[in-house]
Amino acid sequence: MQSVEIAGKASVAFSIVVETDLGSPALVAAREALLGRAMGRNWKKKSSQKLRRGRRPSEGLAFVARDETGMLLGTVRLWDVALGDGVVGDGRPALLLGPLAVDPSLKNAGIGKALMAHALAEAKRLGHGAILLVGDAPYYARFGFSAEKTGMLSMPGPYERDRFLALELLEGALDGACGVLKASGRKAKAPRLAQAA
Ligand SMILES: CC(C)(COP(=O)(O)OP(=O)(O)OC[C@H]1O[C@@H](n2cnc3c(N)ncnc32)[C@H](O)[C@@H]1OP(=O)(O)O)[C@@H](O)C(=O)NCCC(=O)NCCS
């Protein structure tokens, strides 16, 4: 358990655990509600969703922050993608991060940072070479993300180029990377998993 201080409230204890109940209706509903509260109703329209829809997160790389009662406080997931299609880009593997979200009532207390630190460490431990995401550069810069290596890569849909960021976990993993990102993760079997993204 870790704990964070929330202004005007007692400290909140939480733990970060890997999602083992990916398709459970209770978790799906809690995640959807949290993402709606944190990101607004349109979060499913983002280009990143094209790479997540109908897929399962990368093995061992979907995390939740829960309080002592089991209530969901935050979520982050990483997804398997290929960089390019073999014609433009060599199709090398990478991870796509997102959504990352924390319950708005606990904003800026350190839960997002803890989720990110945990997710990056696990991705590295599992041998992944690079992580991409579309998000706020000033936030993700603190974890080492930048647009430096995404210039020749693109998302399969509209996105803001200066928000398309990457982090190498292995030096040189994105050298020469180009092409459009493609979903390469395991397919979700049950319909409810497809919606769980
Ligand atoms: C963005 C988010 C995940 C951060 O998690 P959090 O637990 O609230 O914040 P953290 O404790 O990790 O980080 C707080 C720090 O990040 C900064 N920060 C938070 N959101 C930021 C943003 N969108 N852009 C730049 N900086 C941001 C805070 O000002 C604070 O800075 P400080 O450490 O210098 O005081 C969370 O606020 C959230 O769910 N937001 C809505 C959904 C979203 O935007 N998801 C990310 C997609 S870009």
Side-chain angles (χ1 to χ4, degrees), residues 16-146:
I16 295 176
V17 290
V18 70
E19 284 181 35
T20 49
D21 48 354
L22 279 179
S24 95
L27 179 61
V28 169
R31 281 190 79 254
E32 297 258 327
L34 188 148
L35 289 166
R37 281 199 303 280
M39 306 179 84
R41 272 196 229 142
N42 285 341
W43 69 269
K44 284 189 183 170
K45 295 192 176 147
K46 292 175 187 278
S47 286
S48 300
Q49 271 305 106
K50 289 192 182 182
L51 297 166
R52 304 193 280 241
R53 195 169 294 125
R55 305 279 172 166
R56 294 169 68 89
S58 189
E59 186 72 42
L61 291 175
F63 303 100
V64 289
R66 293 187 190 277
D67 72 7
E68 287 160 304
T69 69
M71 196 167 83
L72 187 67
L73 308 181
T75 172
V76 66
R77 289 172 154 190
L78 292 115
W79 307 80
D80 295 304
V81 292
L83 305 184
D85 57 7
V87 179
V88 178
D90 51 22
R92 74 182 76 168
L95 294 169
L96 180 76
L97 185 145
L100 164 71
V102 171
D103 192 288
S105 67
L106 304 171
K107 210 169 156 62
N108 293 337
I111 296 175
K113 211 180 298 177
L115 278 165
M116 282 297 291
H118 192 85
L120 301 191
E122 275 299 286
K124 187 164 184 156
R125 188 183 68 77
L126 292 170
H128 293 280
I131 303 178
L132 294 109
L133 61 82
V134 179
D136 294 342
Y139 182 69
Y140 289 106
R142 69 188 64 206
F143 307 106
F145 284 83
S146 79

